[in-house]
Amino acid sequence: MNYIIGKVTHIIFRNEISGYTVGVLKIKETDLSVTNTTLNFVGSFPQIKEKETHKFIGEYNNHTKYGKQFVVETTENILPTQKDELVEYLSSDIFPIGIKTAQKIVERFTSETIETIKNDPDALTQIKGISLAKAKKIHEKMLQYDATNQIALDLGKLGFTTTETFTIIKHYDTRALEKVNENIYEVGEKLELPFNTIDQIALQGLKIEATDPRRIQSTITHIISEMTFNTGDTYVSLEDLIKNLLLTIPTLNEDDIEYNLLYLEKKQKINIKEKEIQLKKFYEAEKNISSRVAHLINQKTKPQKNINTQINYLEIKNKITYDTSQKDAILGALNNNIIIITGGPGTGKTTIVKAIIYLLKELYKASNDEIALLAPTGRASKRLTESTNLPAQTIHRYLGWDKDTGHFEANINNPNKEKYIIVDESSMIDTILLSSLFDGTKKDAKYIFVGDHHQLPSVGEGQILRDLIASQTIKVVKLNCLYRQNEGSYIIDLADEIRNKNLNPHFTTIKDDYNFIECPSDYISGVITTVIQKALSKGFKKEDIQILAPMYKTICGIDNLNKQTQSIMNPPSPHKNEVTTGDITYREGDRILQLVNDSDKNIYNGDLGYIKTIHKTTKTTEITIDYDGNTITYTPKDYPNFTHGYAISIHKSQGGEFPIVIIPFSKSFKRMLYNKLVYTAVTRAKKTLILVGDKEAFIYGVNNNYGNRKTNLKEQLKSIKK
């Protein structure tokens, strides 16, 4: 670590929510070998103002994106002593006085100015224009500012970064240090600070004993959280929990473990059921879902008499004929308070949704404002909008997710008013999200869940669609007739074979819409290059081709495939601007994948777009990305929010469809390959599917059942008494 003592001359950017600040400092003293008198600095600060002098501790960095800068880890405010510095300090926006009054104060009290304000504020009334009330306010501001700086300094000495320090002070204000000393683990959990950081500071900075109950309890909840996050389960076994707990705290005995588990249960942080341990939030969410489902299925519905007449009219109007399962789905959606409509690709789920919306309007006189069309992802919601010609949105946007507070605006005390809730791609909904959706909607609303339960489960914990179906408590309609693709298409047949783990022995045989190109792993990327080149030479558009892979690393992983594909689809040109950040070069015309949700800009994780312009100025480089007509401009601080989208993960592809899909299969992927993942990848292809690589890896993935999660929801639903 290095240090700089310097004066803040300019704040370029500051986020008051996170405390993240970019500024310029004038160097007074440093142990760095620098020739410049000024330097950019970055960090998160509880409070920082222009004209202040600080001692910054951190690292000098020549960043590939931002240039030379000082990355601050901790900071100490240095109060001014010189006359001009004192005037600047007192006339800053910290205090309720202007520059002329500040000058008068400094002239009167000279080097004793700060001490006078702190210890004898009444003396300030000697200055014309300063009342006793104003003097006390100046005094209070000085003490408050000093206290905050001292707390920040003390937290920094313990080992907290400036970002963590800001978070703690923002939440606890002047009680921050007190709360950390009282129970640092509780502070860490509440503010979602990294457990390992908290644990290290507790052991080394605060000298907490390894078997301190506060540490044991926090370690238990941390391990449960990590285990459920990694597996998607909503509970862990007692045996697995103890095994992992002893790896962290080997000296624990059975009595210690039992006592702290019971204590956590008493404090309502966990729920214990026999030898299953569950975080309270998942227990409450599953309980809430079961309760709402029970309410819905016990509410009587009044069947509409002329539904069949309207269905017949729709068939004539749209020149289609609904099969038996499709009619069952339509009738079920109108005659039940909650229903699941499930089916694979090409079974007409979208057709059914459109029919249901039409009949809700005709028979129930529902307005557009009374129907909520929802999906878990931005891409899926856009597809739903396109297919229905009605506005759809993500569940998070519908419920009003506040990323700063981590809560939804719509909740049990403030539910949304829509009467009919239609959710597409329901397999992607996790336990907490469904519970939140139920809380954020009217209790008498009707719910229609549409999806393919053979697809990947949610990224978050739980397997909602699978559990709801398996419980046999609500109406489920399975669509089984294929309509989307032409007769003789092998893609749907292959998907069916994968779903049933019954591969045709001749699955490597070339079909009109399918090809499996066998090759060693080292040749996969080269073969994919050849496939893309041939597709482009045959007149296919660049945007038609999408590579899906299960991993980012290795030679045939997403990262390398993106670099390679960029050189084919969008090679360098003197007519295209580009910018390099780290080991990634972005170029005008590049396909881009959004990585984070930003509801304010109507852009979501998984959205695909392309770089429209790259504009360089003397200060920064702006990248403008077009997401299907939604144009967003990013500055360097936003670059981590996106990446190349020529190759994307199979998880990110959910909710999307692509004319040509290319999927690599390598033995290096083996630990990531399982049935639902392979099925999901294959069903993303609309017209052409090309598999490249090792057929044994493919077969392994088809037959691997990994992905069935441990939850209590199904059992809770089964216990519902109608």
Side-chain angles (χ1 to χ4, degrees):
M1 291 288 180
N2 299 104
Y3 81 90
I4 297 177
I5 296 175
K7 182 180 180 181
V8 179
T9 61
H10 183 51
I11 302 279
I12 299 171
F13 170 82
R14 179 166 171 83
N15 185 323
E16 293 297 340
I17 296 172
S18 66
Y20 180 77
T21 305
V22 180
V24 181
L25 60 87
K26 186 176 182 181
I27 300 173
K28 292 185 176 183
E29 181 186 328
T30 182
D31 61 352
L32 289 169
S33 298
V34 292
T35 56
N36 292 339
T37 58
T38 62
L39 185 65
N40 287 353
F41 70 90
V42 297
S44 293
F45 307 90
Q47 53 191 7
I48 191 165
K49 306 288 184 181
E50 292 181 355
K51 303 177 183 180
E52 288 182 345
T53 299
H54 289 260
K55 182 178 182 180
F56 298 106
I57 308 293
E59 292 184 351
Y60 182 67
N61 185 6
N62 191 4
H63 202 279
T64 53
K65 286 193 288 187
Y66 309 118
K68 296 177 180 179
Q69 59 182 14
F70 194 74
V71 182
V72 182
E73 288 293 322
T74 61
T75 182
E76 177 182 355
N77 188 31
I78 298 177
L79 291 174
T81 57
Q82 301 300 313
K83 183 179 177 180
D84 58 340
E85 291 178 338
L86 282 166
V87 172
E88 278 190 340
Y89 177 60
L90 292 177
S91 61
S92 69
D93 55 7
I94 300 171
F95 304 101
I97 54 178
I99 190 167
K100 289 184 178 180
T101 304
Q103 288 171 339
K104 291 177 182 178
I105 294 173
V106 175
E107 287 288 343
R108 173 66 180 84
F109 300 107
T110 60
S111 61
E112 303 293 320
T113 296
I114 298 274
E115 288 302 312
T116 302
I117 294 173
K118 286 183 179 180
N119 302 317
D120 188 19
D122 290 2
L124 294 176
T125 59
Q126 300 172 28
I127 308 298
K128 187 178 179 180
I130 298 182
S131 63
L132 183 60
K134 194 168 187 177
K136 287 182 177 180
K137 193 169 183 179
I138 295 170
H139 167 74
E140 289 169 0
K141 286 287 184 181
M142 175 74 76
L143 294 184
Q144 184 184 20
Y145 202 69
D146 270 8
T148 302
N149 281 321
Q150 186 58 51
I151 291 169
L153 181 62
D154 291 339
L155 290 174
K157 287 178 179 177
L158 285 175
F160 288 106
T161 65
T162 55
T163 302
E164 293 158 353
T165 296
F166 174 85
T167 303
I168 297 169
I169 292 176
K170 183 182 179 184
H171 190 81
Y172 294 108
D173 200 26
T174 55
R175 296 187 67 201
L177 197 62
E178 175 192 338
K179 285 291 184 180
V180 167
N181 284 311
E182 183 181 302
N183 192 338
I184 186 175
Y185 291 100
E186 190 174 85
V187 170
E189 289 174 15
K190 191 175 187 67
L191 303 182
E192 298 182 351
L193 300 177
F195 174 81
N196 291 336
T197 298
I198 294 294
D199 196 40
Q200 185 178 5
I201 293 172
L203 295 172
Q204 298 177 7
L206 299 177
K207 308 299 180 184
I208 288 176
E209 295 291 330
T211 55
D212 187 298
R214 295 170 296 178
R215 183 178 187 235
I216 297 171
Q217 292 153 21
S218 185
T219 303
I220 288 172
T221 57
H222 169 69
I223 289 172
I224 298 172
S225 184
E226 284 288 290
M227 290 175 68
T228 54
F229 177 80
N230 291 331
T231 61
D233 301 334
T234 63
Y235 69 84
V236 302
S237 71
L238 178 62
E239 182 183 357
D240 288 342
L241 173 60
I242 292 173
K243 189 186 299 180
N244 282 280
L245 183 59
L246 291 175
L247 290 174
T248 306
I249 315 176
T251 57
L252 287 180
N253 57 47
E254 288 185 9
D255 289 341
D256 290 330
I257 295 172
E258 183 178 4
Y259 169 80
N260 285 286
L261 283 172
L262 291 173
Y263 181 85
L264 286 169
E265 186 177 41
K266 184 180 178 180
K267 289 294 183 178
Q268 296 193 353
K269 289 188 174 183
I270 63 172
N271 186 72
I272 302 174
K273 177 187 174 185
E274 297 178 353
K275 293 186 177 182
E276 298 172 1
I277 315 297
Q278 192 170 32
L279 291 178
K280 199 70 176 179
K281 66 178 181 179
F282 294 126
Y283 171 77
E284 294 292 347
E286 290 182 337
K287 185 179 175 182
N288 185 43
I289 292 168
S290 312
S291 175
R292 180 60 71 92
V293 170
H295 169 77
L296 291 166
I297 63 176
N298 288 324
Q299 295 298 305
K300 293 183 179 180
T301 57
K302 187 178 179 181
Q304 290 286 338
K305 295 179 180 179
N306 55 341
I307 293 180
N308 286 317
T309 303
Q310 289 291 341
I311 292 175
N312 292 335
Y313 168 76
L314 277 176
E315 289 181 312
I316 296 169
K317 179 185 176 184
N318 298 323
K319 298 179 180 179
I320 59 174
T321 301
Y322 299 117
D323 64 52
T324 303
S325 63
Q326 289 178 322
K327 286 183 179 179
D328 189 21
I330 296 170
L331 289 167
L334 297 173
N335 292 330
N336 291 272
N337 293 317
I338 182 169
I339 185 174
I340 291 173
I341 301 171
T342 182
T347 54
K349 295 189 295 292
T350 299
T351 301
I352 298 306
V353 169
K354 291 165 72 173
I356 292 168
I357 293 171
Y358 172 83
L359 292 171
L360 285 175
K361 292 180 177 182
E362 286 296 314
L363 299 175
Y364 293 89
K365 307 303 177 185
S367 66
N368 286 343
D369 292 338
E370 293 177 311
I371 303 172
L373 295 180
L374 309 176
T377 67
R379 181 186 293 118
S381 69
K382 285 180 181 178
R383 281 186 57 205
L384 190 57
T385 295
E386 291 165 359
S387 62
T388 62
N389 291 318
L390 290 172
Q393 55 190 317
T394 65
I395 299 173
H396 279 77
R397 188 175 182 84
Y398 173 69
L399 296 177
W401 175 252
D402 189 327
K403 59 186 176 184
D404 297 323
T405 64
H407 294 97
F408 292 110
E409 292 177 8
N411 52 55
I412 197 165
N413 298 315
N414 181 41
N416 287 328
K417 307 302 182 184
E418 287 77 8
K419 294 181 179 179
Y420 309 98
I421 315 298
I422 302 175
V423 186
D424 199 14
E425 298 289 351
S426 298
S427 64
M428 301 168 70
I429 301 175
D430 62 52
T431 302
I432 299 297
L433 187 57
L434 181 58
S435 179
S436 300
L437 178 61
F438 280 150
D439 282 346
T441 47
K442 293 172 62 175
K443 205 161 184 179
D444 61 348
K446 290 176 175 281
Y447 300 87
I448 300 160
F449 295 99
V450 183
D452 183 355
H453 68 286
H454 294 291
Q455 297 252 8
L456 286 169
S458 59
V459 174
E461 292 85 348
Q463 48 184 19
I464 290 299
L465 197 61
R466 181 178 180 136
D467 284 347
L468 287 172
I469 293 172
S471 72
Q472 299 181 338
T473 55
I474 63 178
K475 174 76 173 179
V476 177
V477 179
K478 295 181 180 180
L479 306 177
N480 42 42
C481 293
L482 301 178
Y483 297 97
R484 191 179 71 186
Q485 268 147 324
N486 296 329
E487 189 175 348
S489 170
Y490 185 63
I491 297 175
I492 298 297
D493 290 341
L494 179 64
D496 192 59
E497 292 169 13
I498 293 169
R499 185 175 66 242
N500 296 312
K501 302 180 188 68
N502 186 29
L503 280 177
N504 187 312
H506 304 292
F507 70 87
T508 58
T509 303
I510 296 176
K511 306 293 193 302
D512 290 340
D513 60 350
Y514 167 82
N515 193 4
F516 194 120
I517 305 173
E518 290 187 76
C519 66
S521 295
D522 292 345
Y523 290 84
I524 288 176
S525 58
V527 172
I528 289 176
T529 298
T530 302
V531 168
I532 293 172
Q533 288 172 331
K534 284 185 177 179
L536 295 174
S537 69
K538 290 181 179 179
F540 287 99
K541 298 177 181 177
K542 296 175 183 179
E543 55 266 30
D544 289 341
I545 305 168
Q546 185 64 60
I547 304 170
L548 305 180
M551 291 180 65
Y552 284 86
K553 304 304 178 185
T554 78
I555 193 171
C556 46
I558 293 168
D559 292 340
N560 188 58
L561 289 172
N562 264 320
K563 288 181 182 179
Q564 185 175 281
T565 308
Q566 181 196 33
S567 66
I568 305 167
M569 290 207 186
N570 193 33
S573 167
H575 305 293
K576 295 177 182 177
N577 292 324
E578 60 182 49
V579 60
T580 298
T581 167
D583 60 348
I584 300 177
T585 296
Y586 292 111
R587 188 173 298 130
E588 289 176 343
D590 272 342
R591 181 184 299 167
I592 294 297
L593 175 73
Q594 178 74 10
L595 298 175
V596 298
N597 294 324
D598 190 339
S599 57
D600 294 337
K601 295 178 180 177
N602 195 29
I603 190 73
Y604 299 94
N605 185 358
D607 284 353
L608 288 166
Y610 75 94
I611 294 178
K612 195 172 181 179
T613 61
I614 296 177
H615 179 63
K616 297 181 181 180
T617 69
T618 55
K619 293 184 178 181
T620 189
T621 300
E622 295 181 340
I623 299 179
T624 300
I625 304 175
D626 186 333
Y627 294 97
D628 289 333
N630 183 20
T631 302
I632 312 292
T633 298
Y634 296 92
T635 55
K637 66 180 176 65
D638 304 309
Y639 291 176
N641 294 349
F642 59 84
T643 189
H644 280 132
Y646 301 106
I648 65 175
S649 72
I650 296 167
H651 281 87
K652 295 256 188 224
S653 74
Q654 279 192 275
E657 291 181 331
F658 313 95
I660 302 173
V661 169
I662 304 170
I663 310 171
F665 284 91
S666 168
K667 288 181 179 178
S668 63
F669 296 161
K670 197 169 180 179
R671 66 183 180 88
M672 296 291 294
L673 293 173
Y674 57 97
N675 182 270
K676 288 184 181 293
L677 187 84
V678 177
Y679 174 83
T680 299
V682 165
T683 55
R684 299 307 89 203
K686 289 175 68 175
K687 295 180 179 179
T688 302
L689 173 67
I690 300 170
L691 310 184
V692 181
D694 189 309
K695 76 173 182 180
E696 296 303 320
F698 175 71
I699 293 170
Y700 172 85
V702 170
N703 293 307
N704 183 12
N705 281 324
Y706 172 77
N708 190 25
R709 299 175 172 181
K710 294 185 292 187
T711 71
N712 284 318
L713 180 60
K714 182 177 72 174
E715 298 306 317
Q716 287 200 32
L717 289 166
K718 281 184 174 181
S719 67
I720 292 174
K721 295 181 180 180
K722 297 184 181 182

